[in-house]
């Protein structure tokens, strides 16, 4: 099984860390291909960043289709470009926020999200409503850490995430914590040990869901709005899409 883990930002260290976390949890025989776009934001912390990054996600899906990929994971908690990506392939495409929400509800009746910045917490609230998980989530909490600090600040960033997770445990009446950033993929064990609650992280959750869907022989429906896009002309920077087999 080949699973392509797409980091929608362009920070190589983060891509490598997510790829390692994914491979560590993958079943024997599952190969993880961790990739990132050639162009785009170094981190994703706004609606604007997500809009730009979504184009890179599309390009990575098109490249993955040339390599006969079995499933895809979009490794950013905003799930940028998720539905557009699903239009381009029959393979399952899993966003890490949606995956984490599903997994958390299987082990607890209420969870809180601990994310990086307050403004990205608002984006997480939009996703909770969109996916139908609002009534499961007690609170979205921000450690107020820029995404790149997860790579650059190390222990200091981890300490702030643990502190916020403990407040969630003590104040929110929850049974589990969801980590709200793909850059936290390798921190799950340390946070869970420190807090004493199950901690769900989206990259690893998405890998197991992708393996399950492939194992069940379930593919992305091509009936309705997730059918392949209608062929048409593209101009300017996007002219090459007119000749892409994934868009025909």
């Amino acid at each position: 099984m080949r699973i392509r883990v797409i980091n929608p930002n362009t920070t190589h260290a983060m891509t490598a860390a997510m790829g390692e976390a994914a491979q560590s949890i993958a079943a024997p025989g599952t190969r993880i291909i961790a990739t990132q776009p050639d162009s785009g934001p170094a981190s994703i912390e706004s609606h604007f960043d997500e809009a730009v990054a979504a184009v890179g996600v599309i390009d990575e899906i098109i490249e993955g289709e040339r390599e006969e990929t079995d499933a895809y994971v979009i490794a950013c908690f905003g799930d940028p470009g998720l539905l557009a990506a699903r239009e381009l392939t029959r393979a399952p495409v899993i966003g890490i926020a949606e995956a984490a929400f599903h997994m958390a509800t299987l082990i607890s009746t209420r969870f809180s999200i601990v994310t990086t910045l307050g403004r990205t917490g608002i984006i997480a609230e939009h996703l909770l409503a969109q996916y139908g998980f609002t009534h499961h989530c007690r609170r979205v909490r921000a450690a107020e850490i820029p995404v790149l600090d997860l790579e650059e600040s190390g222990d200091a960033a981890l300490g702030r995430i643990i502190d916020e997770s403990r407040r969630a445990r003590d104040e929110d009446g929850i049974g589990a914590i969801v980590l709200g950033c793909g850059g936290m993929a390798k921190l799950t064990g340390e946070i869970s040990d420190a807090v004493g609650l199950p901690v769900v992280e989206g990259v690893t959750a998405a890998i197991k869901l992708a393996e399950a869907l492939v194992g069940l022989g379930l593919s992305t429906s091509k009936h309705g709005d997730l059918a392949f896009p209608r062929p048409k002309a593209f101009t300017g920077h996007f002219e090459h899409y007119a000749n892409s087999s994934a868009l025909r």
Side-chain angles (χ1 to χ4, degrees), residues 22-212:
Q23 192 65 68
S24 72
I25 205 72
T30 295
R31 180 185 173 194
I32 302 297
I33 301 96
T35 67
Q36 65 186 52
D38 293 329
S39 302
S43 62
I44 299 173
E45 298 172 321
S46 66
H47 297 291
F48 174 74
D49 293 342
E50 285 192 6
V52 175
V55 178
V57 170
I58 295 306
D59 289 339
E60 288 296 323
I61 296 288
I62 291 172
E63 181 63 27
E65 290 299 279
R66 299 189 185 108
E67 300 176 0
E68 299 182 355
T69 302
D70 295 300
Y72 299 87
V73 170
I74 299 178
C76 169
F77 206 76
D79 292 352
L82 176 59
L83 293 180
R86 285 176 177 164
E87 288 181 342
L88 299 181
T89 178
R90 295 184 184 277
V93 183
I94 311 296
I96 65 170
E98 190 173 17
F101 298 159
H102 277 290
M103 288 295 197
T105 62
L106 297 178
I107 58 171
S108 65
T109 57
R110 293 290 186 271
F111 62 85
S112 285
I113 299 169
V114 177
T115 188
T116 50
L117 298 174
R119 66 181 298 165
T120 60
I122 296 170
I123 295 172
E125 290 172 353
H126 290 318
L127 289 180
L128 287 164
Q130 178 182 330
Y131 297 151
F133 288 101
T134 299
H135 64 292
H136 292 283
C137 183
R138 293 300 299 268
R139 188 168 177 179
V140 180
R141 292 174 168 270
E144 296 301 343
I145 303 168
V147 170
L148 294 182
D149 279 10
L150 295 170
E151 294 295 323
E152 297 167 0
S153 297
D155 291 343
L158 175 61
R160 293 180 69 173
I161 296 166
I162 288 173
D163 288 345
E164 199 61 44
S165 297
R166 285 175 173 151
R167 282 190 281 271
R169 176 198 64 193
D170 297 340
E171 299 172 11
D172 296 352
I174 57 170
I177 289 169
V178 168
L179 298 181
C181 179
M184 300 177 184
K186 298 181 72 175
L187 305 179
T188 311
E190 292 175 270
I191 297 169
S192 184
D193 289 345
V195 178
L197 289 180
V199 174
V200 181
E201 183 282 314
V203 175
T204 48
I207 292 299
K208 302 315 288 186
L209 284 176
E211 288 179 333

Side-chain angles (χ1 to χ4, degrees), residues 214-228:
V214 174
L216 289 168
L218 295 173
S219 59
T220 298
S221 174
K222 292 298 139 188
H223 181 79
D225 65 315
L226 296 183
F228 291 107

